[in-house]
Amino acid sequence: MTDINRNEAWKVESTGIDRVPDAEQTGRPIELFWIWSAANIGILGVVYGAIIVGFGLSFLQSVLAALFGVASFVLVGLTSFAGKRGRTSTLTLSRVIFGLKGNVAPTLFSWINLMGWEAVNVITGTLTLAALFEAFGLGASHLLTALSLLLFAGLTIVVSLLGQNTVVWMQSWFSRIFGTMTLIVVLYILFNTEWSQVLALPSGSWLTGFLPAVSVIAAGTGISWAIAGADYSRYQSPNSSSKSIFAAVMGGACLPLMLLMLAGILLSVQLPDLANAANPIALIGSVLPAWMAIPYLLAATAGIVTIAVLSLYSASLNLLTIGVQVKQWLAVSIDAVVVLGIALYVLFISGDFMGPFISFLVFCGVFLAAWEAIFLLDYLCLRRHHGYDGNALYGLHGQNRGVRKAPLFCWFLGALCGLLVTKTGFIDGPLAKGLFADSSLGLFVSFAVSLIAYGLYLTQRREHQ
């Protein structure tokens, strides 16, 4: 993958969740920079900025909340190390911890999370593409929305089918072209902001405003993406240094995301309803001059395509990891049908997705944070030096085919403790009161509980060896 020519870029990938052959481990850290940069140039980052301000924070508090929130991409950087070491997808590597059957539970949850994200991306992308057509003079209608859905989803599915080489090739160019266009929009917002109003935003509570804002951003960024870190680093060359991989992931993800969230923080003064708008992308476009509207919508559409491709690609790997015996192209197709069903319901029946979107982030984040604590501690303590056993990964010679109860218990324990103190909108924990009321601090609770529980398990196991 170091030098991806045109023929390689447009081939259907056949690797699936098999270990990447040594001859194909030729990736460079810069490729991860472009992948994660493209994954975060989506204009949805502007909405995150508005969500932060919605917690009643001042400008300084909002910027700090954004910084601490995107710092969660440290988790993605660390899972990327495991990908280079284990040469397969993230949730496949998770099998050595939970056993092949035991790993079905966290993998299924990861798949559901990615399906939800993919649905959000397809819905947002469809609305953005429809707004672009309207900017060219077409009238809004259900037919236009349906056409936009068909075009956007079709492009996402085709690129996802082509696999890793296509993702790297496409993301590098999308990052350059549409990242530049997005930067122009952000600069316009910066220079046309009423800074006196922004700086006059009153300070909010550090406990009941700042911390919940950080947790929501972390849930939607690093915590959501950590389950896919190894999916894209598994092709990295053994000569790629850990420092370079970590810097590429962090730099690629955090730079565009921070710019976009800053723009969202500033826009929240002009558009106080931005975080709750039915179509926030179109609302942002309404404050731009006519000459910038079309380039803005083009950049927004392309940015969402890149995110959607990553979600659908990783979801297909999760489906294979669960044990669905199909080719990867068919796994992508199955995932696409599920996503299209959700998108059709929201676009043509429900009409609301921002409220459920936040609840979805918080609910999934509790389970994902618990799993990530176990996965990362396991890597740092056991796999960093000794690697991943192929027999345990694929159940060869009858090994590791069952359920490893202790790690699975540590995961459930962390997730349960997180849910007890979290209000998700459809499952409200009985202890979600006081500091935990109307916040998503359960993410930190679930991570900490699973980390401590699994750490105690590893210590006890080491003492009995």
Side-chain angles (χ1 to χ4, degrees), residues 26-267:
T26 57
R28 298 174 297 167
I30 188 62
E31 294 168 359
L32 296 178
F33 176 88
W34 293 123
I35 285 176
W36 291 112
S37 177
N40 288 281
I41 62 171
I43 212 73
L44 200 58
V46 176
V47 180
Y48 285 152
I51 289 173
I52 292 174
V53 178
F55 282 92
L57 302 180
S58 68
F59 174 70
L60 177 59
Q61 287 177 316
S62 297
V63 172
L64 288 175
L67 281 170
F68 280 98
V70 299
S72 61
F73 267 98
V74 166
L75 301 175
V76 183
L78 293 176
T79 55
S80 296
F81 297 162
K84 189 191 85 167
R85 197 79 170 86
R87 294 160 39 205
T88 188
S89 64
T90 317
L91 269 296
T92 303
L93 295 174
S94 177
R95 287 173 167 178
V96 300
I97 304 172
F98 300 100
L100 263 69
K101 290 182 179 178
N103 193 56
V104 169
T107 305
L108 181 61
F109 204 90
S110 173
W111 178 77
I112 293 171
N113 174 72
L114 288 166
M115 285 291 91
W117 265 110
E118 180 62 15
V120 169
N121 293 328
V122 169
I123 292 164
T124 308
T126 298
L127 294 174
T128 307
L129 189 56
L132 179 61
F133 287 140
E134 290 172 27
F136 280 107
L138 296 178
S141 66
H142 283 311
L143 179 60
L144 182 63
T145 302
L147 176 62
S148 300
L149 174 61
L150 180 64
L151 291 174
F152 185 89
L155 177 61
T156 300
I157 294 167
V158 168
V159 176
S160 300
L161 286 171
L162 293 172
Q164 178 86 202
N165 283 336
T166 311
V167 169
V168 173
W169 181 86
M170 188 189 76
Q171 306 293 59
S172 65
W173 282 105
F174 272 32
S175 293
R176 292 180 177 99
I177 298 171
F178 297 105
T180 300
M181 294 170 67
T182 301
L183 180 60
I184 292 172
V185 173
V186 171
L187 288 174
Y188 175 85
I189 293 170
L190 288 174
F191 285 105
N192 289 272
T193 294
E194 291 291 338
W195 283 94
S196 59
Q197 296 182 40
V198 172
L199 297 176
L201 289 172
S203 296
S205 169
W206 291 94
L207 288 178
T208 60
F210 179 79
L211 286 179
V214 170
S215 60
V216 167
I217 300 306
T221 55
I223 289 177
S224 286
W225 278 120
I227 56 177
D231 299 358
Y232 303 100
S233 64
R234 60 191 175 135
Y235 284 90
Q236 285 291 301
S237 166
N239 297 323
S240 297
S241 73
S242 295
K243 289 183 179 178
S244 297
I245 289 175
F246 188 80
V249 172
M250 290 295 292
C254 296
L255 289 176
L257 196 52
M258 275 305 302
L259 278 175
L260 289 166
M261 285 199 288
L262 177 60
I265 293 169
L266 299 178
L267 275 178

Side-chain angles (χ1 to χ4, degrees), residues 74-75 77-82 85 96-97 242 246 372-388 447 451 454 458 461-462:
V74 166
L75 301 175
L78 293 176
T79 55
S80 296
F81 297 162
R85 197 79 170 86
V96 300
I97 304 172
S242 295
F246 188 80
E372 286 156 14
I374 293 171
F375 183 85
L376 292 175
L377 187 60
D378 183 85
Y379 170 76
L380 294 172
C381 294
L382 302 177
R383 319 296 167 187
R384 181 173 50 169
H385 299 297
H386 303 294
Y388 291 86
F447 187 92
L451 188 72
Y454 191 63
L458 291 180
R461 194 178 72 168
R462 189 177 297 115

